[in-house]
Amino acid sequence: MIGGSSPFASHFQTNYIPTDDEIAEINALLVEKSAVLSQIETELRRIQHMHEGLSREIEDHRALISPARRLPADVLREIFMHCLPTGHNAIMSKDEFPILLTRVCHRWRTIAFSTPRLWASIHIPVPCSAPLNPHTGTLFNQRYDTFALNTVVNCAKVTREWLDRSGACALDISFIDGNKTLFPGNGYCGRLIESTIGFSARWKTVNMQASAHDIQYLLSLLSNHDLPLLESLSLNFNRTTSDPSPRLAWSEGDTLNTPRLREVSFIGVGGDYSKFPIHWSQLTSLTVEGVTMSVAGMSLIMRYCPLLVSCRMDVSTKGRLGEEFPHSSTPISLPRLRDLSIREWDNDLSIFFTLLDAPSLGKVEYRRDNSWTTQNTLQSLLSRTTIHTFITDSRLLSRDNVIAYLRDCPHLTALSIRPSRSGNVAKQITYLDDHYLRLLSTPDQDGNFLCPALEVFECRTGAGFTDQALLDFIKRREAARPNIAKLKRVSVSFERPQITSIAEELRSITDTGVVVDFWYPVRRFKSTFSPFYGLDEFSPSSSGSVF
């Protein structure tokens, strides 16, 4: 009776109660059908076993003729190189490249270990130390300290083996120490530094985030003769409670006075930069962040670096530091400068921007720290350069200044409104409203558009315009072609919930290739009330409320 009808089929899925005779008949049917089902299951298992065996045999034969098996070693090496991360140095993890390549098969392992370029970059994280009891000076967690110390020892061993495989390749190395405790200097970072010192002659790029003590230790182990290939150096100080304003004793050596150093980044590193032992005249990239540099100091350093292509600075103009800047100075000539990022702390840098001569400048990032201003600081610079990318926090600028800046950038292709890096915002702020979007999408009385070359519009903060105004902005810019450039990407983060859905109306535009990315905050209310509240024997989360 396989698949046959049952005399009780009409009672299935009902509340029918069978009689005693019917129960006996049903039990007999169940015995019969269970026996048949058991036979079918046995046959299915036999067939499944045959299927699995045949599948394995087929796959084993296919593997023998796999194209990957026949690839020459040099081709595999090139493929392996394209597996490496591009946004950071290689990670010491069995689940990441290049180590992952050594776990596939013996041939791949042999090829990977014999390819020096695969091991020419490494990221070295420093384990956090166990916190100390500030009253007794003893460790809160001795077991963790033992674990961390063993991790450091193993990491140092792996680092040496890793760099040994890199042959004669120039090296990219990053040290990141996340320790920011009351008692820094556990020796962990120093041990890991020591594991790389023997390879310093091949260092090309070094990125180090650590305490001033550990960075000073690194520099004390080296001289400029030990770093013949060093091209890029980034030092990021961890500020600790015991060392809130770390400085380096630069006068103790000439480590950074290397012949090929082109890129330097100092984050949180205090001191008189003009006295740093660096070949300033050969630098192409300079970053000074996390500390305030006077306008005079910034101008002096920039004059030392005529070859700069990229420059990022935190600048203070308040009080004595600002008054040091001479009002009648010669121009600051940076003919190759293309990327400039300035964070201004107190007043305005109008004089500096007036003196800056940067004919190749194409990207400007200008932000204030936490004070709203009406000063038209940038106009003297923007009116003399061909800017294609402008990044700012418009919340700290007056409406008229923002519009004036945009009018001075007729070649602007990318406009990005982003929050200040410090995250601090003054009480008086300006939001981008519907008026701004109308100016960017409606011609003036002469038929001219504001920012006619604009292709990318990004607003990550201060988006005070409506959903409808954003829709109108995109549609008007699209309708105005070919007089203005085609939008390629619009990305907006709102600080309010969505009011009007515009996705459907944008479909015809996004279908043409325009990338539209909107983000709205999601505020979901989750009740913590429970009908079991007050009953110790029940967990509040053991059952949902019916309310």
Side-chain angles (χ1 to χ4, degrees):
M1 191 184 287
I2 299 178
S5 60
S6 168
F8 298 96
S10 61
H11 301 307
F12 294 165
Q13 308 300 321
T14 70
N15 293 326
Y16 176 74
I17 301 175
T19 65
D20 292 343
D21 292 339
E22 289 176 326
I23 290 176
E25 186 177 352
I26 291 173
N27 283 330
L29 285 172
L30 289 175
V31 171
E32 177 186 352
K33 292 183 178 294
S34 296
V36 174
L37 180 61
S38 178
Q39 294 176 6
I40 294 174
E41 290 175 344
T42 301
E43 184 65 14
L44 285 176
R45 285 194 294 270
R46 186 185 68 81
I47 295 174
Q48 181 64 30
H49 180 73
M50 292 177 58
H51 178 273
E52 292 174 354
L54 187 58
S55 295
R56 284 195 300 270
E57 189 175 350
I58 290 174
E59 289 303 316
D60 289 344
H61 282 83
R62 283 177 175 169
L64 292 175
I65 60 173
S66 168
R69 185 183 292 259
R70 305 174 62 190
L71 286 175
D74 57 336
V75 174
L76 275 177
R77 287 192 175 93
E78 205 59 37
I79 293 174
F80 289 175
M81 289 302 302
H82 283 80
C83 295
L84 294 177
T86 56
H88 54 79
N89 289 341
I91 299 173
M92 291 185 285
S93 169
K94 61 183 178 60
D95 298 320
E96 300 288 337
F97 297 105
I99 296 181
L100 185 60
L101 296 169
T102 68
R103 305 176 65 218
V104 176
C105 64
H106 176 74
R107 181 170 183 251
W108 281 28
R109 179 182 180 86
T110 301
I111 293 174
F113 279 158
S114 62
T115 305
R117 289 186 300 159
L118 284 177
W119 312 96
S121 79
I122 186 171
H123 174 70
I124 306 173
V126 181
C128 292
S129 59
L132 297 177
N133 186 320
H135 303 292
T136 65
T138 59
L139 291 170
F140 274 123
N141 190 335
Q142 183 66 51
R143 291 180 61 188
Y144 174 81
D145 188 67
T146 301
F147 161 78
L149 181 58
N150 289 336
T151 300
V152 170
V153 172
N154 291 333
C155 186
K157 178 176 179 293
V158 171
T159 297
R160 286 188 290 269
E161 293 173 349
W162 184 297
L163 296 179
D164 275 336
R165 300 186 196 112
S166 64
C169 293
L171 300 174
D172 299 324
I173 300 178
S174 53
F175 298 90
I176 304 297
D177 185 354
N179 282 290
K180 297 182 181 180
T181 62
L182 182 63
F183 301 96
N186 52 31
Y188 295 167
C189 190
R191 291 186 181 220
L192 294 173
I193 288 173
E194 291 166 359
S195 69
T196 67
I197 288 296
F199 306 91
S200 62
R202 294 192 283 118
W203 289 1
K204 178 182 178 183
T205 301
V206 175
N207 178 2
M208 187 171 188
Q209 176 182 326
S211 68
H213 174 272
D214 288 320
I215 292 180
Q216 190 73 64
Y217 177 63
L218 168 68
L219 299 178
S220 70
L221 298 176
L222 300 166
S223 71
N224 60 342
H225 302 294
D226 298 318
L227 303 167
L229 301 184
L230 186 64
E231 296 181 2
S232 177
L233 175 69
S234 175
L235 300 180
N236 186 343
F237 275 12
N238 284 341
R239 297 195 177 193
T240 65
T241 308
S242 60
D243 193 9
S245 300
R247 289 171 178 258
L248 293 180
W250 295 104
S251 59
E252 295 180 2
D254 58 354
T255 306
L256 303 186
N257 195 12
T258 60
R260 301 180 65 172
L261 189 61
R262 298 292 183 270
E263 300 178 0
V264 172
S265 175
F266 296 122
I267 301 176
V269 180
D272 184 350
Y273 291 92
S274 64
K275 296 180 180 179
F276 286 11
I278 296 175
H279 285 305
W280 296 103
S281 61
Q282 67 188 22
L283 293 187
T284 60
S285 177
L286 174 64
T287 296
V288 179
E289 295 180 345
V291 293
T292 56
M293 175 183 286
S294 70
V295 186
M298 177 183 66
S299 302
L300 180 63
I301 294 301
M302 283 189 166
R303 293 181 193 277
Y304 288 165
C305 309
L307 301 182
L308 278 184
V309 175
S310 175
C311 182
R312 299 180 66 89
M313 293 278 190
D314 286 353
V315 187
S316 172
T317 57
K318 186 176 183 180
R320 184 182 64 82
L321 291 177
E323 292 165 0
E324 293 175 1
F325 186 70
H327 284 232
S328 56
S329 297
T330 57
I332 303 170
S333 179
L334 298 174
R336 301 185 182 184
L337 187 65
R338 295 198 301 263
D339 185 349
L340 176 66
S341 176
I342 297 290
R343 183 172 68 161
E344 180 183 358
W345 280 71
D346 300 299
N347 297 321
D348 77 277
L349 293 172
S350 301
I351 300 174
F352 165 76
F353 286 125
T354 299
L355 293 177
L356 182 60
D357 180 18
S360 300
L361 192 62
K363 179 180 179 181
V364 172
E365 180 178 357
Y366 171 71
R367 309 190 201 187
R368 297 184 62 80
D369 181 60
N370 60 0
S371 56
W372 192 85
T373 183
T374 59
Q375 297 288 340
N376 202 339
T377 305
L378 272 176
Q379 193 161 18
S380 61
L381 175 66
L382 298 180
S383 61
R384 293 180 288 110
T385 52
T386 305
I387 304 299
H388 59 74
T389 300
F390 183 46
I391 302 170
T392 191
D393 186 347
S394 62
R395 297 174 300 174
L396 301 180
L397 304 174
S398 71
R399 175 198 295 263
D400 292 340
N401 280 355
V402 174
I403 295 174
Y405 291 159
L406 297 182
R407 292 196 189 282
D408 285 331
C409 301
H411 303 286
L412 196 70
T413 60
L415 173 61
S416 180
I417 310 299
R418 301 179 188 172
S420 296
R421 280 173 285 168
S422 65
N424 298 325
V425 178
K427 294 181 180 179
Q428 182 179 7
I429 59 177
T430 302
Y431 285 97
L432 291 181
D433 56 17
D434 294 1
H435 177 67
Y436 283 102
L437 295 187
R438 281 195 295 272
L439 288 176
L440 285 168
S441 58
T442 306
D444 60 19
Q445 58 184 6
D446 297 324
N448 298 319
F449 282 86
L450 189 64
C451 302
L454 191 66
E455 297 177 345
V456 176
F457 175 72
E458 180 185 58
C459 185
R460 293 302 181 190
T461 189
F465 40 78
T466 62
D467 300 312
Q468 186 62 45
L470 182 58
L471 172 65
D472 293 341
F473 159 70
I474 298 173
K475 294 174 71 173
R476 287 189 190 122
R477 294 284 303 196
E478 187 70 14
R481 297 171 55 209
N483 297 324
I484 62 175
K486 173 182 173 61
L487 282 175
K488 294 181 179 179
R489 182 167 63 88
V490 178
S491 180
V492 178
S493 296
F494 289 97
E495 298 173 14
R496 58 165 176 81
Q498 185 178 36
I499 298 174
T500 305
S501 178
I502 59 177
E504 191 61 36
E505 294 188 67
L506 284 174
R507 190 176 303 279
S508 60
I509 296 176
T510 56
D511 287 344
T512 65
V514 181
V515 177
V516 177
D517 177 24
F518 301 155
W519 182 88
Y520 297 90
V522 178
R523 298 187 178 97
R524 293 190 178 95
F525 172 75
K526 183 178 181 180
S527 173
T528 58
F529 176 75
S530 170
F532 296 94
Y533 182 74
L535 301 178
D536 294 338
E537 62 268 30
F538 291 101
S539 169
S541 60
S542 61
S543 178
S545 172
V546 298
F547 299 102

